[in-house]
Amino acid sequence: MNTKELIKNTFGTVAVLTIAIFVIVFIAYGYTDVEGQLKETLTITIGVFGGSATLGAAFIAANLFNDWKEQHNVQILANEAINLIKLIHDDIGLIEEVNAEIRDAIYIKNYDLEIMTNILNLGEKIIGSQNNARFSSFNFFYRLTKNNGLRNMIDIHSNKVRNISEQLKEMMKHKYDKETCCNLIHSNNLIRAQTDNIFDNLRKYILVE
């Protein structure tokens, strides 16, 4: 319920209650022949209205605070989801760099020093990207969302990305054997494709109506 509707409904209820009290008390005093029927009825009605208005204002304030708190929590989740999307997008960039170097290795078909250096550097870059700050971000998000399905997907993704470094070393041992290179490119492309599902799940925490 938006703020305008909340205020309208709350004070509408207070007004109806006040009118009902006025009518009931006025009729009751009429039957009992109370002196100053109207004056006494107004006195009681005003007291009831004041109390009801105070309670109504407190009710509105409590609801507004809860709405703010909920919106604040949603914004925190959205910010964390955006951060995770950026981290995984960085993984995709690394995977594309690795695939480009592997293709060079296939086409040059020799133990080229520059390619070997580039691949070694990429292997170190991959290891460096899977750092404590990254895992702290993931764990913080997991604690907020308690989304175990998404956690499993990201954990599997991270393990596969880390494993690329070992696969690169294995490829170099085989001196860029074409079959080994092609298998690694295929494996990397599968990792890239599987990130789409992770992105879809993370976007749900950003695209809130």
Side-chain angles (χ1 to χ4, degrees):
M1 184 182 296
N2 62 42
T3 303
K4 287 183 179 180
E5 288 182 352
L6 177 64
I7 294 172
K8 180 181 176 181
N9 291 344
T10 301
F11 283 104
T13 301
V14 170
V16 170
L17 177 62
T18 302
I19 293 169
I21 292 295
F22 176 85
V23 171
I24 292 170
V25 172
F26 187 79
I27 292 173
Y29 280 172
Y31 277 112
T32 55
D33 295 324
V34 173
E35 277 190 44
Q37 178 184 4
L38 180 59
K39 180 182 176 182
E40 294 299 325
T41 301
L42 286 173
T43 300
I44 291 176
T45 303
I46 290 170
V48 171
F49 175 76
S52 300
T54 300
L55 289 175
F59 175 74
I60 291 170
N63 275 274
L64 291 176
F65 174 75
N66 288 334
D67 287 346
W68 171 85
K69 186 169 66 174
E70 182 179 343
Q71 186 59 40
H72 179 66
N73 291 340
V74 167
Q75 188 59 53
I76 290 175
L77 284 177
N79 291 340
E80 291 301 318
I82 290 170
N83 183 47
L84 298 195
I85 286 174
K86 289 177 180 176
L87 289 173
I88 295 172
H89 192 268
D90 288 344
D91 291 342
I92 294 172
L94 282 174
I95 289 171
E96 290 173 350
E97 285 186 61
V98 168
N99 284 352
E101 290 296 335
I102 295 173
R103 291 189 186 97
D104 286 345
I106 293 173
Y107 293 130
I108 293 175
K109 295 180 181 178
N110 61 40
Y111 209 59
D112 183 86
L113 179 60
E114 182 180 354
I115 292 177
M116 181 180 71
T117 302
N118 289 342
I119 289 176
L120 284 172
N121 288 339
L122 280 172
E124 292 300 319
K125 195 173 179 181
I126 288 168
I127 293 172
S129 71
Q130 310 298 301
N131 53 38
N132 289 334
R134 172 193 176 100
F135 293 121
S136 293
S137 295
F138 286 154
N139 287 330
F140 179 61
F141 186 78
Y142 300 150
R143 286 196 295 271
L144 289 175
T145 62
K146 303 186 187 304
N147 188 335
N148 290 325
L150 181 57
R151 177 175 189 166
N152 290 336
M153 282 190 284
I154 293 179
D155 284 349
I156 290 170
H157 165 82
S158 297
N159 289 334
K160 286 181 177 179
V161 172
R162 281 196 298 274
N163 193 45
I164 292 174
S165 179
E166 295 301 317
Q167 289 177 306
L168 288 174
K169 293 177 184 177
E170 189 66 24
M171 184 188 72
M172 291 174 70
K173 287 179 184 177
H174 288 83
K175 297 187 177 181
Y176 310 125
D177 171 70
K178 185 173 182 179
E179 183 178 356
T180 304
C181 289
C182 288
N183 286 341
L184 182 49
I185 288 175
H186 177 67
S187 174
N188 289 346
N189 288 337
L190 286 178
I191 296 173
R192 167 65 184 85
Q194 288 163 355
T195 60
D196 289 341
N197 197 19
I198 296 174
F199 287 149
D200 287 343
N201 277 271
L202 288 172
R203 287 190 192 103
K204 292 175 184 177
Y205 294 97
I206 302 171
L207 305 175
V208 180
E209 294 183 0

